[in-house]
Amino acid sequence: MRLFNTLRFVRDELQKLPDLTSKPSGGLSYFCDRIGRALALIRLEKEILVFAALQWLFISLGYLLWIQMLDWIPDEVWRSAANSRRGSIVDVVLTIWSFFVVGLVAFPVGLLSGCIGATHFLHRQDMPATVTTSVNVVLPSVWSLWLFHWVDGWITVKQILERLPKKRRRSPMRRLASETAYYAWKLGVSGVLPSLVTGSNLVRSGKNSVRFVKENLSDVAKLRLGYSALCWLVGVTTYLCTAVMFSIVDVVPEKDAVYRYVYDAYLWAALPICVAVAIVSVLLRPVYLIALCELYADHLATRGINPNAPDSPSKLRSAMIAFVALITILAAVYGFRDELGVTALLSTPYPSTQ
């Protein structure tokens, strides 16, 4: 992806740090210390909860949209996938569908995340922070916020899927390399959102983020590790709750009918997943974003820079046209999948390895 290649330097720069793998201790306590400050701001600026709740809604709807394609795949294709170690055109179609669904969700999530950051900066400057003013602050950066969250969301989704149990396990070295690259990316882009909110473009925000992280590595790493630890806890709990739920709910009544109920399984899993997303989106992520913006504002203050809301013309119209076009494409695939040949592609069995 060209955009990811443009931002690849953020990850590569952080991977060059000699002490990247020696993660600092006290991340969880550092994150918890920031909860009080974030709650104090949320009590004053309650629109942050509105932004966070809307993020949860859009992510949950995105998950429900994503699993629809699983229902279009015939039983025999699921069976052939279980007996094959080779890829299929089905994997390609699912990947493309997943990529565009992530892009669809990234638009509102990026805008709302930017609004949470804008609320912090407006409050810090003793300016009124309403829903309208926060939205107006981020509108000039709407394209950059969308594209950044599209890339970041895709990388996050791929890493989550990599962590799920598989028939073919990767070697410990490959898993370690994958996790290190992912950690470097997440750490490296820590300053992108606050930089975008304060008026920088996407590439400039990437460069600002690298400098911000390098000069504040301990604090940023502790914050990221504390946030990640709590997200891991939520994820593991969700996985266990889902397993318990499937042991109670008779989703798969027959052992030889497992692959007939893939869609039903993912649909039932929406319940614990949406609860987990609510915990992360409404309780954890606002604290993380507010703390990042606070660290970034302090970083700018040490350099004698006073962050100001951007005053460039709104780019909402062109972004909305692209967003509506993306909705139209996905709606066309959903409504005319037979005519477009999507159903036929998803009916292609996996090649036999025998």
Side-chain angles (χ1 to χ4, degrees), residues 138-309:
V138 302
L139 286 183
S141 304
V142 62
W143 266 109
S144 295
L145 285 167
W146 183 11
L147 295 176
F148 166 65
H149 281 83
W150 194 339
V151 173
D152 185 60
W154 182 243
I155 292 173
T156 302
V157 168
K158 288 180 64 178
Q159 193 64 23
I160 291 174
L161 294 176
E162 286 287 339
R163 291 168 177 171
L164 294 177
K166 296 180 177 65
K167 291 187 299 181
R168 298 180 63 187
R169 296 183 178 181
R170 295 186 303 166
S171 67
M173 291 301 297
R174 290 188 62 184
R175 290 201 300 270
L176 178 61
S178 175
E179 289 294 337
T180 301
Y182 179 70
Y183 175 66
W185 166 262
K186 283 296 186 179
L187 197 63
V189 299
S190 297
V192 170
L193 186 138
S195 181
L196 289 174
V197 171
T198 52
S200 299
N201 61 32
L202 190 55
V203 175
R204 173 52 58 185
S205 293
K207 295 178 180 179
N208 291 341
S209 181
V210 170
R211 179 171 183 174
F212 163 64
V213 173
K214 285 184 175 180
E215 294 181 4
N216 303 271
L217 183 59
S218 178
D219 288 338
V220 177
K222 286 180 181 179
L223 181 65
R224 179 69 214 179
L225 288 172
Y227 175 62
S228 297
L230 291 174
C231 288
W232 264 97
L233 179 61
V234 173
V236 171
T237 304
T238 303
Y239 184 81
L240 295 176
C241 290
T242 304
V244 172
M245 182 185 68
F246 284 153
S247 69
I248 299 173
V249 179
D250 196 13
V251 179
V252 184
E254 302 175 15
K255 291 183 178 180
D256 61 345
V258 173
Y259 302 105
R260 301 179 189 176
Y261 297 90
V262 173
Y263 171 75
D264 290 342
Y266 275 91
L267 185 60
W268 275 97
L271 178 60
I273 288 175
C274 288
V275 172
V277 171
I279 294 173
V280 173
S281 298
V282 180
L283 300 180
L284 301 181
R285 184 168 168 79
V287 175
Y288 176 67
L289 293 179
I290 291 170
L292 272 184
C293 289
E294 185 175 11
L295 286 174
Y296 191 80
D298 292 341
H299 166 72
L300 294 181
T302 60
R303 299 171 56 200
I305 301 175
N306 184 31
N308 295 311

Side-chain angles (χ1 to χ4, degrees), residues 304-322:
I305 301 175
N306 184 31
N308 295 311
D311 192 26
S312 59
S314 173
K315 299 179 180 179
L316 180 63
R317 178 177 297 180
S318 61
M320 283 301 300
I321 291 174

Side-chain angles (χ1 to χ4, degrees), residues 39-103:
L39 290 178
L41 178 60
I42 292 172
R43 280 196 296 267
L44 294 173
E45 312 293 351
K46 295 180 175 58
E47 63 274 4
I48 292 176
L49 292 178
V50 176
F51 299 140
L54 287 174
Q55 282 189 331
W56 165 76
L57 176 63
F58 285 114
I59 293 173
S60 300
L61 290 175
Y63 173 81
L64 293 175
L65 175 62
W66 173 73
I67 66 174
Q68 297 310 305
M69 183 169 280
L70 302 179
D71 194 34
W72 307 345
I73 301 175
D75 303 339
E76 57 271 16
V77 175
W78 289 119
R79 293 182 184 278
S80 66
N83 300 317
S84 176
R85 294 185 178 182
R86 297 168 60 186
S88 167
I89 188 64
V90 177
D91 297 321
V92 177
V93 176
L94 277 173
T95 300
I96 294 174
W97 174 258
S98 304
F99 178 75
F100 283 109
V101 169
V102 170

